[in-house]
Amino acid sequence: MQLHLYMLCYRFEALVASHLEPEAFGRYMAVGTQKNTRGNVLFFEIDGKKLHNDYFHLSDIEERCVPHPDGSPKRSKYISIYRVLEHLDLNAFEKLYLGTADGRVLTLEASPYDAKEERRGANLYDELCPVSPMVVSALPPASFATFMTDPKNPVSVPRIFFADMLLDRDESGRLAGYLPYSDPLHIIDCVKELEQGSGKPSKTVSRTPLVHGFFRTIRRGFFVGDPSGIKFYRFPERRELEVQYAKWWRSASESLS
Amino acid sequence: MKYFRKLFPLSGKARRNYLIAMLFVFAAGYFWQPGFSQNQSVPQTAPAVQTAESVGHFVAFSVFTDKFAPMERIALITVLLIAIAGLLYAVMLAKQVLAADQGTKKMQEIAAAVREGSNAYLGAQFKKVGPLIVIITLILFLTYSGSVDAFRWGRAASFLVGALFSWTVGFVGMRLATNGNLRVAAAATRSYGEAMQIGYRTGTVTGMLTDGLGLLGGTIIFLIFGEQAYEALLGFGFGGTLLALFMRVGGGIYTKAADVGADLVGKIEKDIPEDDPRNAATIADNVGDNVGDCAGMAADIFESYEVTIVAAMILGMATFGHKGVIFPLLVRGIGVLGSIISTYTVKAGKDDTSDTALKSVHRGFWIGSAISVFGFIVLGFFYLRFPGILKDAPATFWGMNPMDPSFWANFGFPGLDMRPAIACFIGVVLAIVLNKVTSYYTHTGHNPVKSLAKACQTGHATNIIQGFAVGYESTVVTILVIAASIMLSVLVYAGTPPLFVAYGVAMTGIGMLTLTGNTISMDVFGPVADNANGIGEMGYEPVEMEKQEPGSYKRARQILADLDAVGNTTKAETKGIAIGSAVIAAVSLFSSFIAVIAVGSEDKITEMTIAQYAIEAGKLTVANPMVFIGFLIGGAVPFLFSSMLIRAVGRAAFDIVKECRIQFRDPQIWDGSKKPNYGRVVDICTNTAQKELIGPGFLAIMAPILVGFLLGPYALGGFLAGMILVGQLLAVFMSNAGGAWDNAKKMIEDGIYGGKGSDAHKAAVTGDTVGDPLKDTAGPAINPLIKVMNMVSLLTLGLILQYNLITPSVQEGSARLVGLLVAAVCAIAIGWAVWQSKRESAAQEAELG
């Protein structure tokens, strides 16, 4: 049985070894155990060969993670549950998997990210790992990742994983009605403050955001970055979601959690 | 005490039973005393057994004797042919629907599961209700108090036929709906217009069956019994009504138990979308749409159709004689023709949207209304000539005084009386206005639903509070509209005796349900489109469809979603008509009720004088304590009935949740590699719905009998009045509040206040869940409840007059004992029903202890 390494990166971080294929692992995390994750599950597949340190003591992982006596696969063997993201090499991050509450899994491949295409204006980011506030920022994703992981910045982290969120507004400047954010007026206030030039590149919207219908709020996609670079996982267009990934999208967009 | 125990060595339970039995014996002895009578001056009429002779000997098919004019015979035969034409039209449409493409194998499998579940449900219901129908047929046969055997046979056989027709409408309609939904889903892959047409025509089949069978039954009864059709018509109406009650109650419990159960486990616990094939309750949910909204509603409107025509024919005979009976039949015939033409005009283009489709459905209704109004005004002009019955009009139009009511009755044509036609016109307008009122309170385009959606932003409680406010307001508006239409009918007949006024109200009911074909088409279209959407969700192959034609999957899903939205709107609109028609029919039946008290027996209704009617109507006042007591009890019954139904839904939903939870534990079901056992949940729903419908059925049948025998005929009159008023208010409140909550949720899901998954959405889901059993179980079931209680009262009134405890017309001492025994049996049955409704299911007991 092939052993996979997965990094859970939504609401908590952990490195897990498993014999399950990614889709099966996502389903298992969502609904396959009584300890199931209530809500969405996001995880990367990690290429163990590209890890250049032994922080996680993976040398004997094959001995530690063995199939059950009846031959069934070992579904999860936790390797680490603390400061995982910062100890993985950026190039070890393979595909990103988005699991819904009922266990449907969408696979995103890393895509080239062209920073030149970025437009000026406010962005809404949901920081997912290792910290999890929601912020509005005048910085485009690459610059935001650099800013947030800059050691000179007193409020920084070694590496950051975040989602770029929709910030659509109607003619009157209010947030579009279909966006399920808990406090849309406050988001707009934060954006206005940013636009009026408060001098800050980013402003925290919420320390503990509760984003209902999370996958419906994703704009361009997901980013994982540090001062050395950024990896971009493009979120499919609406049309692709409705046709190619219809089942996943229905599950993701109809979720109440 | 010890000595007593020694003397009677019985267990505590046996002693208690003995004491209760003795209590009854002493009570019987007490009531037997002649001095108990409260002397309410009920006219001491002659025993009913003598009355049949006074009506004359029965001659079958007297219509074909000299008693009827040749034109009247031709008119009746024409009505019969129109009824058959309506049925043939239904057969033609059914063939068209069944010939349509059935989509992929996967879609067919899903549709087959829904169809099997629906058939199993109605089959089980037939097994349960069938014996009861046979027993009631026998009771009707044996309790007939007249002496003409033909009437005895007539009312029992008509009851059986009425019940059978009602069941046929429900069963065939549902059967076709479960075939039509698959065809709609398949047609949606090609064109909007085709899918819309198949869906609507599927509904039209049920509508035309209702029209055809209702008209056929009434006409055949009249052809056989002629002027003496009273008993048979009542039997026919009661048969249809009782079956409709069972189908409404059973279907309502089934559909909401499955829906709530599926949502609780699927959406709330497991966070999966609606109609997800992994949810074991999905198929039951779809089956529920058919047995509740399709079979239940069709049977319900069928009985309204029957009862309004029965009321109009009975009152027509008592007022205008032959023409008074034949005119309603002819109006219904015109309505059938109007429905045939107008339903065929409902079409949609290849790329239409839900707005244009809705316009097309409404246009069909308008066309049908125009044809019907034009038809019965022309018919009335040539047919409604009653010289000498009411005040004759002056010879010329110009010589008339507009303040004189007869001016409006004949517009200067001597002998012409257009008032029945005008009353029908009021009915058509009433149906349209009720549609609009219901639409205003439940459609997303208007303020009430918008206000609910807005209230969801501040939480669950504010949504519920606002929903109550909207529901309460809507019931006031509806009752004002109904009151205004009754007032107009009264004004049309101003200056005439009360029975003519009652005939006017009955004709309003006839007008209201003239376009039953269109109304049911609109209603059944709802569950068909809903099911088609479910089949699309579970059965479409997105990747395959996109390979064949890029964009086709999304387009087909959009078409189904649009059709679902149209169906929700049309279905909600028709509920107003169903409930409104119940009140109109009940009011006109109430006049028959007074007429029977006035003459002492139903056989002598045609002999009643105006003075007798006026005296008896005057006694039905709340100043009479018995009437007031009856009024209070009658007003409480719809609440008890609703409580029983809502509890039943909760109990059934609990069992379903348990079963689904068990099935969700299977990981293979989760990953979609194994199909859940849909049949288990379908069985739970079927069995529970059958079990639960007995209690409310007992209440509906026994409560008026109990009140009548225990408190006398005037209390029963008060009981009916209270029940009609409160039933109407409660039914409209529940239907409209539930509809408004449902659509507020849909509004949010369409993308306001955060859309799906937002806090507002969660509040909206709560409102919808609360509203579900109100709008689809208890609310609509009150409609047949009102009519069943009316019918039972009318059918038993003869016996109640003879054997009630207060003022029995039979003077032997045993009369009160008979009344007491009947009342005791009814009280025990109702007590059992209430106790049953409060018990916990086996699963609840195991779970909650």
Side-chain angles (χ1 to χ4, degrees):
Chain A
M1 271 179 218
Q2 194 189 341
L3 193 65
H4 299 268
L5 287 176
Y6 299 117
M7 191 222 155
L8 295 163
C9 52
Y10 186 67
R11 293 191 287 194
F12 63 95
E13 56 181 317
L15 187 66
V16 181
S18 172
H19 289 123
L20 297 176
E21 293 298 315
E23 281 77 13
F25 180 72
R27 205 160 42 238
Y28 168 74
M29 291 304 292
V31 298
T33 160
Q34 292 301 310
K35 300 172 286 194
N36 61 359
T37 320
R38 176 79 191 174
N40 305 317
V41 185
L42 273 66
F43 60 96
F44 288 97
E45 183 160 22
I46 302 297
D47 185 349
K49 292 177 199 133
K50 291 181 181 167
L51 295 178
H52 297 299
N53 60 52
D54 198 27
Y55 178 83
F56 298 110
H57 307 293
L58 292 173
S59 51
D60 62 344
I61 187 63
E62 304 249 343
E63 286 83 55
R64 283 194 282 150
C65 184
V66 291
H68 290 286
D70 64 356
S72 61
K74 178 75 180 167
R75 288 178 291 234
S76 61
K77 175 74 187 172
Y78 279 75
I79 295 165
S80 176
I81 56 164
Y82 180 59
R83 298 181 68 183
V84 175
L85 185 67
E86 64 185 276
H87 289 104
L88 292 167
D89 293 89
L90 194 57
N91 62 0
F93 284 84
E94 300 279 299
K95 292 173 185 168
L96 172 64
Y97 299 93
L98 314 180
T100 63
D102 65 320
R104 305 246 186 226
V105 177
L106 177 72
T107 308
L108 302 184
E109 303 243 20
S111 326
Y113 176 67
D114 188 357
K116 287 176 197 160
E117 284 178 18
E118 286 178 344
R119 286 168 295 175
R120 291 173 61 83
N123 299 284
L124 182 65
Y125 298 126
D126 193 4
E127 295 176 29
L128 303 172
C129 192
V131 288
S132 55
M134 181 189 271
V135 299
V136 288
S137 176
L139 301 171
S143 310
F144 179 73
T146 309
F147 172 75
M148 286 301 295
T149 54
D150 182 358
K152 291 177 203 153
N153 179 359
V155 183
S156 64
V157 289
R159 183 172 293 133
I160 189 162
F161 171 55
F162 62 98
D164 177 31
M165 317 280 279
L166 287 167
L167 198 55
D168 302 351
R169 286 195 264 176
D170 59 21
E171 299 86 19
S172 59
R174 285 180 300 208
L175 271 185
Y178 50 80
L179 293 176
Y181 303 127
S182 298
D183 194 350
L185 293 177
H186 175 59
I187 294 176
I188 290 300
D189 286 344
C190 293
V191 170
K192 278 182 186 162
E193 205 177 317
L194 208 67
E195 285 171 347
Q196 281 160 6
S198 61
K200 290 192 212 167
S202 302
K203 174 151 183 61
T204 302
V205 173
S206 169
R207 287 188 205 100
T208 51
L210 271 177
V211 183
H212 307 295
F214 174 70
F215 292 124
R216 284 205 296 115
T217 62
I218 306 301
R219 184 163 62 154
R220 283 170 287 198
F222 297 86
F223 298 86
V224 56
D226 59 23
S228 69
I230 190 164
K231 269 195 157 180
F232 170 51
Y233 294 84
R234 189 183 73 81
F235 195 63
E237 298 286 333
R238 182 70 180 259
R239 203 184 164 285
E240 283 177 88
L241 289 168
E242 285 175 349
V243 175
Q244 249 173 297
Y245 311 112
K247 285 214 161 87
W248 182 85
W249 176 239
R250 184 138 199 268
S251 169
S253 59
E254 302 227 334
S255 167
L256 288 176
S257 60
Chain B
M1 197 66 183
K2 274 183 187 169
Y3 176 76
F4 181 79
R5 281 187 187 148
K6 213 172 172 182
L7 196 63
F8 299 101
L10 299 167
S11 68
K13 196 177 171 187
R15 267 198 303 277
R16 193 176 63 235
N17 290 343
Y18 171 78
L19 286 173
I20 290 169
M22 290 313 290
L23 191 72
F24 274 112
V25 170
F26 282 116
Y30 176 76
F31 285 121
W32 201 322
Q33 298 303 311
F36 180 75
S37 170
Q38 290 182 8
N39 189 21
Q40 292 210 13
S41 68
V42 164
Q44 298 300 310
T45 53
V49 285
Q50 295 173 9
T51 58
E53 283 74 12
S54 64
V55 174
H57 291 294
F58 171 69
V59 180
F61 295 101
S62 61
V63 169
F64 298 101
T65 64
D66 294 343
K67 276 181 160 184
F68 285 76
M71 275 308 290
E72 288 175 333
R73 286 199 283 271
I74 292 170
L76 284 168
I77 298 295
T78 308
V79 171
L80 197 67
L81 292 176
I82 291 174
I84 293 167
L87 293 174
L88 290 175
Y89 177 61
V91 172
M92 184 193 89
L93 291 183
K95 279 187 178 169
Q96 277 183 11
V97 170
L98 292 173
D101 171 37
Q102 299 181 47
T104 62
K105 197 168 171 248
K106 192 174 174 192
M107 288 161 67
Q108 288 172 25
E109 279 173 10
I110 293 158
V114 175
R115 194 161 47 243
E116 278 165 26
S118 306
N119 290 343
Y121 166 78
L122 276 195
Q125 186 169 60
F126 193 66
K127 275 186 202 157
K128 191 102 178 180
V129 175
L132 190 66
I133 294 294
V134 172
I135 291 168
I136 294 175
T137 307
L138 285 173
I139 291 172
L140 285 176
F141 182 81
L142 296 172
T143 56
Y144 172 68
S145 53
S147 64
V148 180
D149 272 350
F151 297 161
R152 182 192 299 278
W153 285 100
R155 86 169 182 172
S158 300
F159 168 80
L160 204 57
V161 171
L164 201 64
F165 277 11
S166 194
W167 188 79
T168 305
V169 166
F171 182 75
V172 176
M174 189 206 70
R175 176 109 196 180
L176 197 75
T178 54
N179 279 291
N181 52 20
L182 172 65
R183 272 90 175 160
V184 171
T189 60
R190 293 184 295 276
S191 127
Y192 188 98
E194 194 184 335
M196 159 86 197
Q197 196 157 310
I198 292 175
Y200 188 79
R201 288 191 175 173
T202 302
T204 307
V205 174
T206 316
M208 295 317 298
L209 265 182
T210 306
D211 264 351
L213 288 178
L215 195 57
L216 192 72
T219 313
I220 288 177
I221 287 174
F222 190 70
L223 284 173
I224 295 172
F225 290 92
E227 294 167 345
Q228 298 157 312
Y230 178 87
E231 289 283 356
L233 283 173
L234 272 189
F236 183 61
F238 182 46
T241 304
L242 191 66
L243 231 284
L245 178 79
F246 286 131
M247 290 180 91
R248 248 308 182 200
V249 169
I253 293 170
Y254 189 119
T255 182
K256 282 307 117 181
D259 190 11
V260 172
D263 281 358
L264 285 179
V265 177
K267 285 188 190 168
I268 310 292
E269 278 186 21
K270 298 293 177 188
D271 219 345
I272 58 174
E274 194 164 338
D275 288 335
D276 192 298
R278 292 171 295 178
N279 189 343
T282 297
I283 294 294
D285 189 9
N286 281 285
V287 171
D289 290 339
N290 290 297
V291 299
D293 293 337
C294 209
M297 180 72 167
D300 183 359
I301 294 197
F302 175 77
E303 61 94 11
S304 290
Y305 190 86
E306 272 185 8
V307 171
T308 46
I309 205 155
V310 164
M313 287 169 81
I314 289 170
L315 292 164
M317 180 54 78
T319 51
F320 292 110
H322 297 173
K323 285 189 177 178
V325 183
I326 294 173
F327 184 67
L329 288 172
L330 286 168
V331 168
R332 281 280 155 90
I334 290 168
V336 172
L337 289 177
S339 287
I340 290 175
I341 297 166
S342 60
T343 52
Y344 211 76
T345 63
V346 176
K347 284 173 184 163
K350 190 173 187 301
D351 299 314
D352 271 356
T353 62
S354 54
D355 281 345
T356 49
L358 198 58
K359 274 183 192 154
S360 175
V361 172
H362 286 155
R363 192 177 55 235
F365 197 85
W366 283 108
I367 290 171
S369 303
I371 292 170
S372 301
V373 170
F374 178 76
F376 56 65
I377 283 177
V378 170
L379 170 75
F381 184 78
F382 290 104
Y383 186 66
L384 295 172
R385 307 281 172 150
F386 302 105
I389 289 188
L390 290 172
K391 185 182 173 187
D392 277 342
T396 63
F397 180 80
W398 301 109
M400 290 178 65
N401 174 11
M403 296 306 289
D404 183 343
S406 60
F407 171 87
W408 300 103
N410 60 20
F411 306 100
F413 292 92
L416 172 68
D417 191 339
M418 288 294 281
R419 279 176 282 204
I422 295 170
C424 280
F425 175 68
I426 293 169
V428 173
V429 174
L430 174 62
I432 292 168
V433 174
L434 282 180
N435 260 353
K436 294 288 166 201
V437 170
T438 312
S439 178
Y440 175 75
Y441 282 101
T442 57
H443 196 266
T444 51
H446 302 290
N447 278 337
V449 175
K450 285 180 186 168
S451 73
L452 258 65
K454 208 171 181 179
C456 288
Q457 290 179 102
T458 46
H460 303 246
T462 43
N463 181 30
I464 299 292
I465 290 166
Q466 186 69 11
F468 270 88
V470 165
Y472 288 147
E473 187 186 296
S474 74
T475 200
V476 174
V477 175
T478 305
I479 216 154
L480 286 177
V481 170
I482 293 171
S485 71
I486 294 174
M487 187 67 202
L488 283 173
S489 308
V490 171
L491 283 177
V492 165
Y493 276 90
T496 63
L499 217 52
F500 287 84
V501 176
Y503 181 63
V505 176
M507 289 310 293
T508 302
I510 290 283
M512 198 179 173
L513 291 177
T514 299
L515 292 176
T516 294
N518 298 60
T519 306
I520 295 187
S521 305
M522 287 164 69
D523 173 66
V524 174
F525 179 62
V528 170
D530 187 314
N531 268 216
N533 201 14
I535 291 171
E537 161 61 25
M538 290 185 274
Y540 279 169
E541 304 278 7
V543 180
E544 282 300 309
M545 286 170 73
E546 286 297 308
K547 261 189 215 164
Q548 286 174 8
E549 186 194 342
S552 61
Y553 171 73
K554 195 184 168 193
R555 192 187 61 224
R557 287 309 316 271
Q558 191 59 49
I559 288 173
L560 290 179
D562 283 354
L563 289 178
D564 194 10
V566 173
N568 275 329
T569 306
T570 56
K571 191 175 84 174
E573 285 176 357
T574 57
K575 279 185 180 159
I577 296 181
I579 295 165
S581 70
V583 176
I584 296 287
V587 170
S588 37
L589 285 173
F590 197 68
S591 307
S592 309
F593 177 84
I594 297 170
V596 174
I597 298 182
V599 293
S601 159
E602 60 269 30
D603 288 351
K604 295 196 293 184
I605 191 167
T606 49
E607 298 172 2
M608 188 197 66
T609 64
I610 293 162
Q612 277 176 311
Y613 186 92
I615 290 168
E616 292 310 314
K619 287 178 187 168
L620 276 170
T621 161
V622 286
N624 178 345
M626 282 301 179
V627 176
F628 192 57
I629 291 166
F631 190 75
L632 293 176
I633 297 171
V637 165
F639 281 96
L640 180 59
F641 183 74
S642 304
S643 152
M644 290 165 100
L645 295 189
I646 292 168
R647 277 177 201 269
V649 169
R651 245 189 323 268
F654 189 93
D655 291 351
I656 293 162
V657 168
K658 286 276 291 174
E659 174 61 29
C660 290
R661 279 180 184 162
I662 290 167
Q663 295 205 31
F664 270 128
R665 283 189 200 137
D666 186 338
Q668 284 179 299
I669 290 179
W670 260 118
D671 66 21
S673 58
K674 181 179 164 188
K675 265 203 308 190
N677 188 346
Y678 300 121
R680 275 287 307 144
V681 182
V682 169
D683 286 347
I684 291 171
C685 290
T686 302
N687 295 334
T688 316
Q690 304 312 319
K691 219 184 323 176
E692 299 287 359
L693 64 81
I694 298 296
F698 268 9
L699 178 68
I701 297 169
M702 304 291 187
I705 300 177
L706 172 64
V707 170
F709 279 99
L710 195 67
L711 302 173
Y714 296 103
L716 182 56
F719 173 88
L720 291 178
M723 184 267 301
I724 293 169
L725 173 67
V726 176
Q728 153 72 22
L729 289 169
L730 195 60
V732 175
F733 160 71
M734 291 198 281
S735 288
N736 287 352
W741 274 317
D742 187 2
N743 278 336
K745 186 192 75 170
K746 287 197 170 72
M747 259 183 105
I748 291 174
E749 285 176 349
D750 284 344
I752 60 163
Y753 307 132
K756 280 178 184 166
S758 62
D759 284 337
H761 184 226
K762 285 176 185 168
V765 169
T766 301
D768 181 42
T769 311
V770 170
D772 263 347
L774 302 188
K775 81 175 195 304
D776 289 326
T777 308
I782 290 178
N783 176 23
L785 173 81
I786 289 174
K787 280 172 281 184
V788 163
M789 288 192 163
N790 259 291
M791 284 288 180
V792 169
S793 303
L794 267 178
L795 282 164
T796 54
L797 189 56
L799 292 172
I800 287 171
L801 286 169
Q802 292 175 59
Y803 299 108
N804 73 83
L805 287 177
I806 307 297
T807 52
S809 64
V810 172
Q811 289 304 301
E812 291 92 40
S814 59
R816 285 205 172 90
L817 184 62
V818 172
L820 182 70
L821 286 176
V822 174
V825 169
C826 291
I828 291 167
I830 292 172
W832 175 84
V834 173
W835 173 74
Q836 278 285 304
S837 79
K838 292 163 97 154
R839 81 199 187 285
E840 287 178 342
S841 69
Q844 274 175 311
E845 273 175 17
E847 182 86 355
L848 305 171

Coordinates of all heavy atoms in Angstrom, one line a residue, chain B residues 369-398:
Chain B
S369 N -61.6 31.3 -17.8 CA -62.6 32.1 -17.1 C -63.5 32.8 -18.1 O -64.7 32.9 -17.9 CB -61.9 33.1 -16.2 OG -61.0 32.5 -15.3
A370 N -62.9 33.4 -19.1 CA -63.7 34.2 -20.1 C -64.6 33.2 -20.8 O -65.8 33.6 -21.0 CB -62.7 34.8 -21.1
I371 N -64.2 32.1 -21.2 CA -65.1 31.1 -21.9 C -66.2 30.8 -21.0 O -67.4 30.8 -21.4 CB -64.3 29.9 -22.3 CG1 -63.3 30.2 -23.4 CG2 -65.3 28.8 -22.8 CD1 -62.3 29.1 -23.7
S372 N -65.9 30.5 -19.7 CA -66.9 30.0 -18.8 C -68.0 31.1 -18.5 O -69.2 30.9 -18.6 CB -66.3 29.6 -17.5 OG -65.4 28.6 -17.7
V373 N -67.4 32.4 -18.3 CA -68.4 33.5 -17.9 C -69.3 33.7 -19.1 O -70.5 33.8 -19.0 CB -67.6 34.7 -17.6 CG1 -68.5 35.9 -17.5 CG2 -66.9 34.5 -16.2
F374 N -68.7 33.8 -20.3 CA -69.5 34.0 -21.5 C -70.5 32.9 -21.7 O -71.7 33.1 -21.9 CB -68.5 34.1 -22.7 CG -69.3 34.3 -24.0 CD1 -69.8 35.5 -24.4 CD2 -69.4 33.2 -24.9 CE1 -70.5 35.7 -25.6 CE2 -70.1 33.4 -26.1 CZ -70.6 34.6 -26.5
G375 N -70.0 31.7 -21.5 CA -70.9 30.5 -21.7 C -72.1 30.5 -20.7 O -73.2 30.4 -21.2
F376 N -71.8 30.7 -19.4 CA -73.0 30.6 -18.6 C -73.9 31.9 -18.6 O -75.0 31.8 -18.2 CB -72.7 30.1 -17.2 CG -71.7 30.9 -16.3 CD1 -71.9 32.1 -15.9 CD2 -70.5 30.2 -16.0 CE1 -71.0 32.8 -15.1 CE2 -69.6 30.9 -15.2 CZ -69.8 32.2 -14.8
I377 N -73.4 33.0 -19.1 CA -74.3 34.1 -19.2 C -75.2 33.9 -20.4 O -76.4 34.1 -20.3 CB -73.4 35.4 -19.3 CG1 -72.9 35.8 -17.9 CG2 -74.3 36.6 -19.9 CD1 -72.1 37.0 -17.8
V378 N -74.6 33.4 -21.5 CA -75.5 33.1 -22.7 C -76.5 32.0 -22.3 O -77.7 32.1 -22.6 CB -74.6 32.7 -23.9 CG1 -75.5 32.1 -25.0 CG2 -73.8 33.8 -24.3
L379 N -76.0 31.0 -21.6 CA -76.8 29.9 -21.2 C -78.0 30.4 -20.3 O -79.1 30.1 -20.5 CB -76.0 28.8 -20.5 CG -76.8 27.7 -19.8 CD1 -77.3 26.7 -20.8 CD2 -76.0 27.0 -18.7
G380 N -77.6 31.2 -19.3 CA -78.5 31.8 -18.4 C -79.6 32.6 -19.1 O -80.8 32.5 -18.8
F381 N -79.2 33.3 -20.1 CA -80.1 34.2 -20.8 C -81.2 33.4 -21.5 O -82.4 33.7 -21.5 CB -79.4 35.0 -21.8 CG -80.3 36.0 -22.5 CD1 -80.7 37.2 -21.9 CD2 -80.8 35.7 -23.8 CE1 -81.5 38.1 -22.6 CE2 -81.6 36.6 -24.4 CZ -82.0 37.8 -23.8
F382 N -80.8 32.2 -22.0 CA -81.8 31.4 -22.7 C -82.5 30.4 -21.8 O -83.7 30.0 -22.0 CB -81.2 30.7 -23.8 CG -80.8 31.6 -25.0 CD1 -79.5 31.9 -25.2 CD2 -81.7 32.1 -25.8 CE1 -79.1 32.8 -26.2 CE2 -81.4 33.0 -26.9 CZ -80.1 33.3 -27.0
Y383 N -81.9 30.1 -20.7 CA -82.4 29.0 -19.9 C -83.1 29.4 -18.6 O -84.1 28.8 -18.2 CB -81.3 28.0 -19.5 CG -81.7 26.7 -18.8 CD1 -82.5 25.8 -19.5 CD2 -81.4 26.5 -17.5 CE1 -83.0 24.6 -18.9 CE2 -81.8 25.3 -16.9 CZ -82.6 24.4 -17.5 OH -83.0 23.3 -16.9
L384 N -82.6 30.5 -18.0 CA -83.1 30.9 -16.7 C -84.4 31.7 -16.8 O -84.4 32.9 -16.5 CB -82.0 31.6 -15.9 CG -80.8 30.8 -15.6 CD1 -79.7 31.6 -15.0 CD2 -81.1 29.6 -14.6
R385 N -85.4 31.1 -17.1 CA -86.7 31.8 -17.2 C -87.6 31.1 -16.1 O -87.9 29.9 -16.2 CB -87.4 31.6 -18.5 CG -86.5 32.0 -19.7 CD -86.5 33.5 -19.9 NE -85.5 33.9 -20.9 CZ -85.6 34.9 -21.7 NH1 -86.6 35.7 -21.6 NH2 -84.6 35.2 -22.5
F386 N -88.0 32.0 -15.1 CA -88.8 31.4 -14.0 C -90.0 32.3 -13.8 O -90.1 33.0 -12.7 CB -87.9 31.4 -12.7 CG -86.7 30.7 -12.8 CD1 -85.4 31.3 -12.9 CD2 -86.7 29.3 -12.7 CE1 -84.3 30.6 -12.9 CE2 -85.5 28.6 -12.8 CZ -84.3 29.2 -12.9
P387 N -90.9 32.4 -14.7 CA -92.0 33.2 -14.5 C -92.8 32.7 -13.2 O -93.1 31.6 -13.1 CB -92.9 33.1 -15.7 CG -92.3 31.9 -16.4 CD -91.0 31.6 -15.9
G388 N -93.1 33.7 -12.4 CA -93.9 33.4 -11.2 C -93.3 32.9 -10.0 O -93.8 32.9 -8.9
I389 N -92.0 32.5 -10.1 CA -91.4 31.9 -8.9 C -90.9 33.1 -8.0 O -91.2 33.1 -6.8 CB -90.2 31.1 -9.2 CG1 -90.6 29.8 -9.8 CG2 -89.3 30.8 -8.0 CD1 -89.6 28.7 -10.1
L390 N -90.2 34.0 -8.5 CA -89.9 35.2 -7.8 C -90.6 36.4 -8.4 O -91.3 36.2 -9.4 CB -88.4 35.5 -7.8 CG -87.6 34.5 -7.0 CD1 -86.1 34.6 -7.2 CD2 -87.9 34.6 -5.5
K391 N -90.4 37.6 -7.9 CA -91.1 38.8 -8.4 C -90.8 39.0 -9.9 O -89.6 39.0 -10.3 CB -90.7 40.0 -7.6 CG -91.4 41.2 -7.9 CD -90.8 42.4 -7.1 CE -91.4 43.7 -7.5 NZ -90.8 44.8 -6.9
D392 N -91.9 39.1 -10.7 CA -91.7 39.3 -12.1 C -91.2 40.7 -12.4 O -91.6 41.6 -11.7 CB -93.0 39.0 -12.9 CG -93.1 37.6 -13.1 OD1 -92.1 36.8 -13.0 OD2 -94.3 37.1 -13.4
A393 N -90.3 40.8 -13.3 CA -89.8 42.2 -13.7 C -90.8 42.9 -14.5 O -91.7 42.3 -15.2 CB -88.5 42.0 -14.5
P394 N -90.7 44.3 -14.5 CA -91.6 45.0 -15.4 C -91.3 44.7 -16.9 O -90.3 44.1 -17.2 CB -91.2 46.5 -15.1 CG -90.4 46.5 -13.9 CD -89.8 45.1 -13.7
A395 N -92.2 45.1 -17.7 CA -92.2 44.7 -19.1 C -91.0 45.3 -19.9 O -90.5 44.7 -20.8 CB -93.5 45.0 -19.8
T396 N -90.6 46.5 -19.5 CA -89.5 47.1 -20.3 C -88.3 47.4 -19.4 O -88.5 47.7 -18.2 CB -90.0 48.4 -21.0 OG1 -90.3 49.3 -20.0 CG2 -91.1 48.1 -21.9
F397 N -87.1 47.4 -20.0 CA -85.9 47.8 -19.3 C -86.0 49.2 -18.7 O -85.6 49.5 -17.6 CB -84.7 47.6 -20.2 CG -83.4 47.9 -19.6 CD1 -82.8 47.0 -18.8 CD2 -82.8 49.2 -19.7 CE1 -81.6 47.3 -18.2 CE2 -81.6 49.4 -19.1 CZ -81.0 48.5 -18.3
W398 N -86.5 50.1 -19.6 CA -86.5 51.5 -19.3 C -87.5 51.9 -18.2 O -87.3 52.8 -17.4 CB -86.8 52.4 -20.5 CG -85.8 52.2 -21.6 CD1 -86.0 51.5 -22.8 CD2 -84.4 52.5 -21.5 NE1 -84.8 51.4 -23.5 CE2 -83.8 52.0 -22.7 CE3 -83.6 53.1 -20.6 CZ2 -82.5 52.2 -23.0 CZ3 -82.3 53.3 -20.9 CH2 -81.7 52.8 -22.1

